[in-house]
């Protein structure tokens, strides 16, 4: 590729305040979109990399080095070989004529080109080069218009462009210094230009931009730090310094930190305080008021008790007179006064007294009230507890606590505090239970019973809480499926996938050994008839299996193919922690030649068995030694017999690493079996016997711990397509 | 106290006057507060009808707004059953609308350099009106003072051009300007407080909505108003002017409460004529239903499912009204004043 010099690009899309939650993705998408659109202009070295920045009022991309032009290209359309194209006299043949005609050319326009296969007739079409400017004029509006947001708007005309908020200016600068020139284009009624704007408080005059370095510095002079990572660092340091003076530390909060980064152009900390009497309110309430309503960081002392201070980040230079602080303190005091009012009002009725009120709180139109839901949760919990008691993982006293917690756990839905702070459901109930004299086991279980709300969230602390949470989520899924509100495609209005994920996580991390595939049957004790719907149990089981797959990939970080392998194995998915163990053990061996070979053998075995399904079922169930003819099949049978016993041993000890290592001993016998023995022989009894042998090997070895036929030779996580394919297959 | 807001004292009525004057200076017609119970300034005809259609429009008005569920018997320092909004509609919005808005705060005596004003994502929605928009809550030193919305849809109809709707919460702004933490302590003028003018009303309305309201009667009233709305809407069919709302074909599909006075429908009533059709009266009945719904909701008399159904019934009227309004506007069937 010829180089006609290089240039650079600076693009800034100036907007009205973009939602903080969109900013990181929008910045990333701009970089990706631009990089893809300018592929040919970007030198392969690091200089052609797109770096991106953002503030609430701007999305920025910078490419330090771009070719000043895309060189011309030459397209060759290869036609017939020269020896076919011309006859002995050198006249064009029919082949040549028709190739020319097909391409709207004359034979005289065609050229001869040589490649490895020989000399060919070809149509050569030179394509003119284009300057970077020409490319950018076309590409930039497409890139900007291609950004999508979770929620967008139109502001010019209805059919016009959509963006998260209106775009008010566009800086598009090609080259630097005296070379700098605007890439002229129009988007959403805004003409691109050579100007940017500073912080609102730093005046409304446009700032002329000549190069990237000055751009960043000029913005800083105008109270804009365009680099979000610099803002993040500043926020962290300021928090530390500010609180260290008071011997305090911040209650860490990643969500809040990112929110501040993405909602400020110039973050400045402000330390405020509140009346210590509000510290009588529970820590959880204080934090949620400060964090969710006011976006304040809470502060605690060295031993972790909350102090009557908060830190907020302003988007202005400072507050020399303290008026901003006073404003924030007044707002917070009012918020706390509200919370205090709710807390006191709620104490007039205990959770116990609120039980009858649940009959009037609708859970879901077809599924009745929360009183109904609590009844169903009890049915499920009794059976789960019984199962756990039989295996000595729970005592009958703990079962009583589970049932008590279930009785009370939804009562806080009638409390004013929860109506105001819905995210505190469960937590408030737990706190109320504690002050109202319930045992710590019960109040803790109530407190924890919504968790885990995501795969990152932690599980309930105790086995009691785990069972309450499990019963809650299982009921949501079973009764939800029965009412036809199961998730479809991307729609899951009742959050059943999340509930399913919670079930799997609890089973894996708190109640290992609990068989997930038995859970749907526990709902047979429901008094509502929905549980008897035909196929309901099967649908719920399929759903749970899918969720286990999700857990294995997202939490246990298994590959797509290993996930499929363990989920589809004989030991299956029902115990997700065991499935994760098997998957990890398999992954230690999966790269070896032996496993590549065995995976092929397993696939072959499976295919033969599928094709001959009728045959062996009608024939011999167990292998008959007297019908083994060839030495290779005898050897395979021997290997299978000893491996089968050994595998069962290792399986009992759950020593899967050793199991998968020793499994390699099957490679040689199975390979030579396939090399030398014809399975589908004409003799029916011998054929049936061979099929029976393969069937046993398949069941007890190849798909016992993991279905080896699912193992891919290449890591399928490596590319997107593999990943999507994996997900699709798992769903089936 | 070295608070800049104290350099010149701003009473509640000063606030009303200054904001009105500011928006009058921006070419807004200063309309009158609407004389029915509404939950927000958006529900007034000056917003609902004006954002529909293509005609440019600028209007601002003070609007007392009722939210029965927020009633606190006048005891809570911040919550009011009836609060006062300043509603501004700019159609189409100017490109510097944020600056124009911020200048209104300056007019109130707020020094923007000494305070922290933030535009935080908040997308407004009114399910009963089939209306929603994209925008922010404007925060002043942590206090929400304005809802700033790029209106996208009203009565189920995509708007073109869009309008900007600014809704100021005046009690909060007054409390801020006067540096008081209880809105009842806000000075209404030099001699009277907000408490003097409004406390008794807050108390009595709270008592009615939370205790005295008879839910059966409220439901009956809801049904009656709804029925009257549909009696009128059904007559629109007689005009022969077809309406198609973008989302739903509203009129004619299963009217919720049919007029049982079948005889009256035989003849086309004289008022069922496009230019004279009492559409704004239908809208008033829609607002009546909306307010009754709010009272029932505050009483806790509505279950979750019923809630959705009732909201749907109000929205259906609102969307029909919007569809008729747009049909009239696009066919120039509005009456022209003589």
């Amino acid at each position: 590729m010829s180089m006609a010099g290089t240039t650079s690009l600076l693009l800034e899309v100036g907007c009205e305040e973009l939602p903080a939650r969109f900013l990181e993705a929008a910045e990333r998408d701009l970089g990706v979109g631009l990089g893809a659109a300018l592929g040919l202009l970007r030198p392969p070295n690091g200089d052609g990399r797109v770096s991106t920045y953002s503030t609430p009022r701007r999305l920025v991309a910078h490419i330090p080095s771009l070719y000043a032009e895309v060189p011309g290209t030459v397209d060759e359309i290869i036609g017939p070989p020269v020896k076919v194209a011309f006859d002995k006299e050198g006249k064009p043949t029919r082949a040549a004529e028709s190739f020319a005609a097909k391409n709207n050319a004359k034979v005289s326009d065609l050229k001869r080109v040589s490649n490895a296969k020989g000399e060919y007739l070809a149509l050569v079409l030179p394509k003119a080069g284009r300057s970077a400017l020409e490319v950018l004029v076309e590409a930039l509006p497409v890139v900007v218009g291609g950004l999508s947001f979770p929620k967008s708007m139109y502001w010019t005309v209805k059919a016009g462009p959509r963006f998260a908020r209106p775009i008010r200016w566009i800086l598009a600068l090609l080259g630097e210094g005296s070379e700098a020139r605007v890439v002229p284009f129009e988007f959403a009624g805004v003409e691109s230009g050579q100007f940017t704007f500073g912080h609102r408080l730093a005046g409304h005059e446009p700032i002329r931009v000549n190069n990237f370095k000055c751009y960043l510095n000029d913005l800083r002079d105008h109270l804009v730090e365009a680099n979000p990572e610099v803002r993040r660092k500043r926020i962290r340091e300021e928090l530390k310094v500010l609180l260290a003076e008071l011997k305090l530390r911040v209650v860490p909060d990643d969500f809040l930190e990112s929110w501040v980064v993405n909602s400020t152009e110039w973050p400045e900390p402000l330390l405020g305080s509140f009346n210590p009497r509000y510290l009588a309110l529970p820590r959880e309430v204080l934090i949620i008021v400060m964090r969710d309503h006011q976006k304040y960081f809470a502060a605690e002392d060295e031993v972790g008790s909350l102090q009557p201070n908060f830190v907020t980040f302003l988007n202005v230079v400072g507050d020399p007179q303290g008026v901003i602080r006073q404003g924030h303190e007044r707002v917070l005091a009012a918020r706390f006064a509200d919370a205090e009012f709710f807390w006191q009002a709620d104490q007039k009725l205990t959770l116990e007294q609120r039980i009858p009120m649940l009959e009037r709180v609708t859970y879901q139109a077809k599924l009745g009230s929360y009183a109904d839901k609590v009844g169903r949760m009890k049915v499920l919990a009794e059976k789960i507890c019984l199962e756990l008691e039989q295996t000595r993982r729970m005592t009958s006293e703990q079962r009583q606590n589970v049932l008590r917690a279930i009785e009370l756990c939804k009562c806080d839905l009638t409390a004013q505090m929860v109506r105001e702070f819905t995210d505190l459901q469960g937590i408030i109930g737990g706190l109320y239970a504690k002050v109202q004299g319930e045992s710590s086991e019960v109040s803790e279980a109530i407190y924890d019973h919504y968790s885990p709300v995501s795969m990152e969230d932690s599980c309930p602390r105790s086995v009691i809480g785990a069972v309450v949470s499990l019963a809650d989520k299982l009921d949501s899924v079973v009764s939800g499926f029965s009412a036809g509100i199961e998730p479809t495609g991307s729609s899951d209005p009742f959050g059943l996938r999340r509930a399913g994920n919670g079930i799997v996580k609890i089973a894996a991390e708190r109640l290992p050994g609990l068989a997930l595939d038995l859970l749907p049957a526990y709902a047979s004790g429901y008094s509502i008839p929905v549980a008897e719907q035909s196929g309901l149990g099967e649908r719920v089981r399929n759903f749970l299996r899918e969720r286990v797959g999700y857990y294995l990939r997202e939490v246990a970080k298994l590959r797509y193919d290993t996930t499929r392998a363990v989920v589809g194995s004989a030991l299956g998915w029902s115990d997700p922690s065991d499935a994760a163990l098997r998957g990890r053990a398999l992954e230690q061996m999966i790269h070896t030649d032996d496993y590549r070979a065995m995976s092929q053998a397993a696939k072959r075995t499976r295919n033969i068995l599928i094709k001959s399904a009728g045959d062996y079922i009608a024939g011999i169930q167990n292998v008959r030694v007297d019908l083994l003819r060839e030495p290779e099949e005898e050897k395979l049978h021997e290997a299978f017999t000893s491996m089968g016993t050994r595998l069962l041993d290792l399986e009992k000890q759950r020593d899967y690493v050793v199991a998968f290592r020793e499994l390699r001993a099957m490679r040689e016998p199975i390979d030579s079996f396939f090399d030398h023995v014809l399975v589908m022989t004409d003799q029916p009894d011998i054929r049936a016997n061979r099929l029976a042998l393969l069937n046993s090997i398949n069941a007890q070895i190849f798909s016992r711990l993991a279905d080896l036929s699912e193992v891919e030779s290449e890591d399928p996580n490596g590319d997107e397509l593999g990943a999507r394919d994996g997900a699709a297959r798992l769903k089936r | 106290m070295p608070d800049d807001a104290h350099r010149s004292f701003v009473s509640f009525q000063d606030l009303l006057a200054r904001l009105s004057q500011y928006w009058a200076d921006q070419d807004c017609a200063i309309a009158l507060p609407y004389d029915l119970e509404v939950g927000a300034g958006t529900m007034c005809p000056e917003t609902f009808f004006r954002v529909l259609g293509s005609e440019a429009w600028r209007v601002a008005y003070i609007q007392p707004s009722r939210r029965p569920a927020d009633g606190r018997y006048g005891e809570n320092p911040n919550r009011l059953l009836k609060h006062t909004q300043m509603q501004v509609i700019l159609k189409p919005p100017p490109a510097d609308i944020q600056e124009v808005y911020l200048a209104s705060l300056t007019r109130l005596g707020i020094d923007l350099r000494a305070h922290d004003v933030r535009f935080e994502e908040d997308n407004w929605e009114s399910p009963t009106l089939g209306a929603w928009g994209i925008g922010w809550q404007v925060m002043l030193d942590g206090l929400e003072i304005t809802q700033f919305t790029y209106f996208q849809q009203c009565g189920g109809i995509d708007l073109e051009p869009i309008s900007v709707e600014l809704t100021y919460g005046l009690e909060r702004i007054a409390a801020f300007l006067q540096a008081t933490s209880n809105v009842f302590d806000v000075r209404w003028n030099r001699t009277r407080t907000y408490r003097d003018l409004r406390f008794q009303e807050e108390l009595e309305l709270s008592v009615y909505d939370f205790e005295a309201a008879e839910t059966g009667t409220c439901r009956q009233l809801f049904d009656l108003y709804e029925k009257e709305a549909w009696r009128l809407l059904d007559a629109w069919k007689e005009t022969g002017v077809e309406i198609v709302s973008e989302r739903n074909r509203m009129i004619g599909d299963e009217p919720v409460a049919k007029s049982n006075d079948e005889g009256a429908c035989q003849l086309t009533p004289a008022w069922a004529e496009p230019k004279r059709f009492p559409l704004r009266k239908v809208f008033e009945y829609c607002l009546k239903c909306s307010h009754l719904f709010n009272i029932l909701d505050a009483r806790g008399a509505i279950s979750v499912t019923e809630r959705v159904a009732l909201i749907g019934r109000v929205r259906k009227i609102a969307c029909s009204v919007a569809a008729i309004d747009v049909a009239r506007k696009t066919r120039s069937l509005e009456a022209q004043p003589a």
Side-chain angles (χ1 to χ4, degrees):
Chain A
M1 189 181 275
S2 75
M3 285 227 342
T6 58
T7 179
S8 64
L9 176 72
L10 172 60
L11 174 70
E12 177 189 60
V13 183
C15 307
E16 296 184 358
E17 276 78 352
L18 298 167
R21 67 192 169 108
F22 297 171
L23 211 55
E24 282 170 25
E27 182 192 319
R28 189 191 57 227
D29 292 351
L30 178 65
V32 171
L34 201 58
L38 305 184
L40 288 175
L41 279 175
R42 291 163 59 211
N45 61 27
D47 288 349
R49 205 177 307 134
V50 188
S51 48
T52 57
Y53 308 91
S54 64
T55 79
R57 293 180 69 217
R58 63 203 82 224
L59 296 170
V60 185
H62 176 235
I63 308 180
S65 176
L66 271 186
Y67 293 130
E69 64 177 46
V70 186
T73 54
V74 176
D75 280 357
E76 282 179 356
I77 306 173
I78 305 287
V82 169
K83 41 184 184 188
V84 178
F86 298 99
D87 60 19
K88 276 174 260 164
E89 283 112 58
K91 282 192 187 149
T93 62
R94 188 136 179 210
E97 305 268 7
S98 72
F99 171 70
K102 206 173 75 188
N103 290 291
N104 296 320
K106 289 186 213 132
V107 175
S108 57
D109 296 336
L110 303 177
K111 302 228 159 50
R112 294 176 182 211
V113 297
S114 296
N115 61 28
K117 289 187 212 153
E119 204 182 6
Y120 285 81
L121 212 52
L123 183 65
V124 178
L125 297 167
K127 228 166 123 186
R130 298 173 80 206
S131 70
L133 193 71
E134 285 175 293
V135 175
L136 288 167
V137 163
E138 265 176 36
L140 293 188
V142 176
V143 169
V144 175
L147 291 176
S148 68
F149 300 88
K151 207 168 170 81
S152 63
M153 61 174 284
Y154 63 93
W155 66 100
T156 55
V157 291
K158 192 176 138 188
R162 300 184 70 89
F163 214 73
R165 290 293 182 279
I167 294 173
R168 293 307 183 196
W169 78 86
I170 295 171
L171 161 70
L173 199 63
L174 184 64
E176 305 215 323
S178 56
E179 309 269 283
R181 57 174 304 187
V182 171
V183 180
F185 69 96
E186 190 238 274
F187 185 79
V190 178
E191 298 275 349
S192 60
Q194 199 173 350
F195 299 93
T196 183
F197 290 86
H199 190 291
R200 280 187 203 291
L201 290 183
H204 303 309
E205 290 307 306
I207 303 163
R208 193 181 171 86
V209 179
N210 278 312
N211 66 59
F212 179 64
K213 208 171 153 196
C214 294
Y215 163 81
L216 286 183
N217 287 331
D218 282 348
L219 280 182
R220 282 183 193 118
D221 290 343
H222 289 82
L223 299 180
V224 175
E225 174 49 65
N227 187 339
E229 285 322 303
V230 174
R231 295 200 299 276
R232 187 182 299 276
K233 219 174 131 204
R234 190 193 290 179
I235 288 161
R236 285 185 183 163
E237 279 164 13
E238 301 269 22
L239 268 174
K240 214 183 265 172
V241 171
L242 198 65
L243 290 173
E245 287 170 26
L246 299 170
K247 294 203 163 57
L248 296 179
R249 64 182 187 208
V250 69
V251 176
D253 193 326
D254 292 342
F255 162 81
L256 194 51
E257 182 186 281
S258 290
W259 189 89
V260 173
V261 168
N262 295 321
S263 66
T264 52
E265 300 209 284
W266 198 258
E268 286 272 344
L270 183 147
L271 177 70
S273 59
F274 58 85
N275 189 327
R277 94 183 149 99
Y278 291 121
L279 289 173
L281 285 167
R283 173 189 173 98
E284 293 84 350
V285 173
L286 294 169
I287 288 180
I288 207 156
V289 170
M290 285 190 270
R291 167 196 145 116
D292 286 19
H293 289 236
Q294 294 301 133
K295 309 290 193 304
Y296 299 162
F297 288 94
E300 59 188 10
D301 62 13
E302 291 103 331
V303 295
S305 50
L306 221 53
Q307 298 299 304
N309 296 98
F310 65 89
V311 180
T312 184
F313 279 83
L314 311 177
N315 190 37
V316 296
V317 185
D319 180 30
Q321 295 171 311
V323 288
I324 301 180
R325 180 177 50 76
Q326 287 165 20
H328 279 285
E329 287 176 350
R330 270 200 306 271
V331 177
L332 185 61
R335 292 268 187 201
F336 281 158
D338 248 10
E340 189 181 53
F341 169 80
F342 295 140
W343 177 272
Q344 282 160 2
D346 284 344
Q347 296 314 315
K348 289 174 192 158
L349 281 178
T350 62
L351 294 180
E352 168 117 41
Q353 288 166 320
R354 289 173 189 270
I355 292 175
M357 295 165 73
L358 289 181
E359 284 164 25
R360 295 205 308 273
V361 185
T362 310
Y363 167 59
Q364 205 276 336
K366 293 182 191 158
L367 298 171
S369 68
Y370 269 95
D372 297 324
K373 182 176 175 65
V374 165
R376 295 195 300 267
M377 284 169 64
K378 277 188 186 167
V379 170
L380 295 175
E382 294 245 25
K383 297 200 171 157
I384 297 169
C385 289
L386 229 58
E387 171 72 26
L388 293 172
E389 280 174 53
Q390 276 168 8
T391 46
R392 304 251 168 88
R393 281 175 293 177
M394 184 175 247
T395 64
S396 63
E397 193 199 339
Q398 282 176 315
R399 171 163 38 120
Q400 292 315 312
N401 283 331
V402 166
L403 295 176
R404 177 65 176 163
I406 287 180
E407 200 167 36
L408 299 177
C409 71
K410 299 296 177 189
C411 290
D412 68 353
L413 293 175
T414 66
Q416 294 202 47
M417 188 77 94
V418 172
R419 263 185 257 159
E420 188 68 15
F421 306 109
T422 45
D423 286 351
L424 287 180
Q425 59 184 1
I427 292 173
I428 291 295
L431 295 168
Y432 286 177
K434 196 172 168 191
V435 298
Q436 289 163 10
E438 296 294 331
S439 70
S440 63
E441 287 86 356
V442 169
S443 61
E444 208 174 77
I446 296 173
Y447 188 103
D448 288 350
H449 88 276
Y450 284 95
S451 50
V453 294
S454 67
M455 282 301 191
E456 295 76 40
D457 193 18
S458 52
C459 286
R461 290 162 285 180
S462 70
V463 67
I464 299 169
V467 174
V468 176
S469 175
L470 187 67
D472 188 8
K473 293 171 172 58
L474 184 60
D475 171 66
S476 300
V477 170
V478 174
S479 58
F481 271 59
S482 78
I485 52 172
E486 58 207 78
T488 49
S490 62
S491 134
D492 183 16
F494 292 88
L496 297 189
R497 285 200 188 104
R498 199 170 56 173
N501 292 344
I503 292 172
V504 174
K505 195 172 156 90
I506 291 171
E509 294 171 20
R510 282 289 180 275
L511 305 169
L514 188 74
L516 283 182
D517 60 348
L518 295 180
L519 292 182
Y522 291 170
S524 60
Y526 278 12
S527 56
I528 50 170
V530 288
E532 284 142 35
Q533 278 181 22
S534 68
L536 177 65
E538 195 51 35
R539 280 190 292 148
V540 173
R541 254 190 301 280
N542 287 340
F543 169 78
L544 289 177
R545 188 181 56 204
E546 197 185 297
R547 292 298 96 200
V548 170
Y550 180 79
Y551 174 83
L552 293 176
R553 292 193 312 273
E554 298 299 319
V555 180
K557 299 288 177 205
L558 293 189
R559 292 164 37 144
Y560 282 87
D561 59 339
T562 15
T563 300
R564 279 199 302 274
V566 291
V567 167
S569 67
L571 291 189
W573 52 273
S574 186
D575 181 344
S577 61
D578 187 68
L581 212 58
R582 281 180 275 132
R584 283 197 204 98
L586 173 60
E587 287 190 4
Q588 290 189 17
M589 301 305 303
I590 209 163
H591 304 283
T592 60
D593 277 348
D594 288 336
Y595 267 80
R596 258 173 236 140
M598 285 210 300
S599 165
Q600 290 309 314
K603 282 187 182 111
R604 199 163 166 185
T605 306
R606 195 183 57 179
N607 288 340
I608 291 172
L609 290 172
I610 290 171
K611 274 187 203 148
S612 58
D615 257 356
Y616 71 85
I617 287 172
I620 300 165
Q621 289 299 321
N622 295 312
V623 182
R624 277 171 51 190
V625 183
D626 60 304
L627 287 175
L628 298 171
R629 289 284 183 275
E630 308 293 332
E632 285 82 6
E633 62 183 321
E634 277 173 13
K635 263 197 194 142
L636 179 62
H637 181 251
E638 243 166 63
F640 156 68
T641 317
S642 64
M643 182 62 73
T645 327
R646 175 70 179 143
L647 220 49
L648 279 179
D649 254 9
L650 291 167
E651 187 184 308
K652 267 188 211 129
Q653 299 156 28
R654 307 227 292 169
D655 198 346
Y656 301 128
V657 175
V658 173
F660 281 114
R661 194 184 304 142
E662 295 197 0
L663 251 178
R664 284 186 299 178
M666 288 301 290
R667 177 190 175 176
E668 203 279 322
I670 187 79
D671 276 357
S672 53
F673 173 82
F674 278 130
D675 285 349
H676 297 102
V677 180
L678 178 66
V679 179
M680 303 309 278
T681 160
D682 293 341
Q683 293 162 272
D685 55 342
I686 295 188
R687 182 171 71 223
N689 198 47
R690 285 175 185 163
L691 287 170
L693 176 60
L694 287 181
N695 190 41
S696 307
I697 292 175
N698 184 50
Q700 292 171 46
I701 298 189
F702 284 162
S703 65
R704 175 78 191 165
L705 306 179
D707 182 352
L708 298 185
S709 72
E710 292 285 4
V711 172
E712 314 268 349
S713 49
E714 299 297 324
D715 182 350
N717 287 16
D719 71 310
E720 273 280 304
L721 278 176
R724 233 178 288 141
D725 179 46
R729 275 214 240 167
L730 217 106
K731 253 184 204 159
R732 281 208 311 256
Chain B
M1 206 187 298
D3 193 336
D4 58 299
H6 283 267
R7 273 186 300 210
S8 65
F9 171 77
V10 183
S11 69
F12 190 66
Q13 66 189 35
D14 289 340
L15 172 63
L16 307 188
R18 284 191 197 188
L19 265 187
S20 300
Q21 189 56 53
Y22 177 81
W23 288 107
D25 293 346
Q26 305 299 318
D27 288 333
C28 287
I30 304 301
L32 297 177
Y34 197 46
D35 58 344
L36 284 191
E37 309 98 327
V38 292
T42 311
M43 308 183 95
C44 303
E46 275 304 333
T47 292
F48 188 88
F49 290 103
R50 297 302 182 185
V51 299
L52 294 167
S54 57
E55 192 186 354
W57 200 259
R58 286 190 171 199
V59 66
Y61 50 92
I62 308 269
Q63 183 61 49
S65 304
R66 299 177 187 225
R67 295 189 183 157
D70 281 351
R72 292 290 185 275
Y73 299 88
E75 284 166 10
N76 188 291
N78 299 296
R79 289 210 202 212
L80 296 167
L81 186 147
K82 188 165 143 186
H83 71 288
T84 318
Q85 295 184 344
M86 175 89 195
Q87 168 86 356
V88 183
I89 293 291
L90 300 170
K91 176 191 176 188
D96 62 345
I97 175 63
Q98 282 184 305
E99 298 306 327
V100 175
Y101 164 75
L102 289 170
S104 75
L105 301 182
T106 309
R107 179 72 74 93
L108 297 179
I110 298 169
D111 178 0
L112 297 178
R113 292 169 177 282
H115 294 281
D116 188 24
V117 180
R118 305 276 277 275
F119 292 84
E120 288 182 7
E121 180 195 13
D122 195 24
N123 303 319
W124 168 88
E125 179 183 25
S126 166
T128 48
L129 292 186
W132 64 276
I134 294 273
W136 307 278
Q137 47 180 345
V138 182
M139 308 295 287
L140 173 60
D141 298 348
L143 178 73
E144 183 195 346
I145 54 165
T146 304
Q147 189 75 38
F148 188 131
T149 306
Y150 286 102
F151 233 126
Q152 302 279 292
Q153 209 179 57
C154 180
I157 291 174
D158 290 336
L159 301 180
E160 183 142 37
I162 64 158
S163 300
V164 149
E165 172 189 72
L166 301 169
T167 305
Y168 297 77
L170 298 182
E171 281 84 357
R172 287 174 174 197
I173 297 176
F176 176 88
L177 291 170
Q178 297 181 16
T180 167
S181 44
N182 186 335
V183 294
F184 288 96
D185 293 333
V186 162
R187 313 289 312 182
W188 193 288
N189 65 6
R190 298 251 162 216
T191 54
R192 294 292 180 185
T193 63
Y194 193 85
R195 179 179 287 105
D196 296 336
L197 277 89
R198 296 251 19 262
F199 174 79
Q200 195 63 26
E201 187 188 8
E202 278 294 316
L203 173 64
E204 292 179 14
L205 291 179
S206 297
V207 169
Y208 177 78
D209 290 345
F210 289 126
E211 301 167 34
E214 218 277 303
T215 55
T217 308
C218 289
R219 284 176 195 277
Q220 281 179 357
L221 284 171
F222 184 101
D223 292 345
L224 277 174
Y225 284 128
E226 183 193 40
K227 188 173 156 188
E228 181 66 351
W230 282 104
R231 184 179 70 85
L232 298 174
L233 284 173
D234 284 342
W236 175 263
K237 276 182 289 188
E238 310 295 333
T239 67
V241 178
E242 236 181 275
I243 60 151
V244 180
S245 98
E246 313 228 352
R247 285 282 162 100
N248 324 287
R249 184 179 281 274
M250 288 295 164
I251 295 197
D253 64 4
E254 38 163 355
V256 179
K258 260 238 178 253
S259 161
N260 46 18
D261 190 3
E262 291 293 334
C265 288
Q266 297 298 315
L267 289 170
T268 303
W271 46 267
E273 180 207 324
K275 290 191 181 181
R276 300 179 66 238
F277 185 77
L279 189 59
R280 276 162 176 76
K281 197 63 206 179
V282 181
F283 187 63
E284 289 191 348
Y285 287 127
C286 177
L287 295 182
K288 284 286 187 191
C289 289
S290 174
H291 181 63
L292 286 159
F293 165 78
N294 287 341
I295 292 178
L296 287 166
D297 198 27
R299 286 299 306 268
I302 301 176
S303 74
V304 179
T305 29
E306 195 188 0
R307 201 186 147 76
V308 176
L310 285 177
I311 289 175
R313 283 163 69 184
V314 182
R315 182 172 56 231
K316 202 163 174 180
I317 302 174
C319 289
S320 297
V321 169
I324 292 178
D325 184 60
V326 169
R328 282 208 304 207
K329 282 172 175 160
T330 50
R331 291 176 177 76
S332 304
L333 289 175
E334 292 192 297
Q336 298 301 318

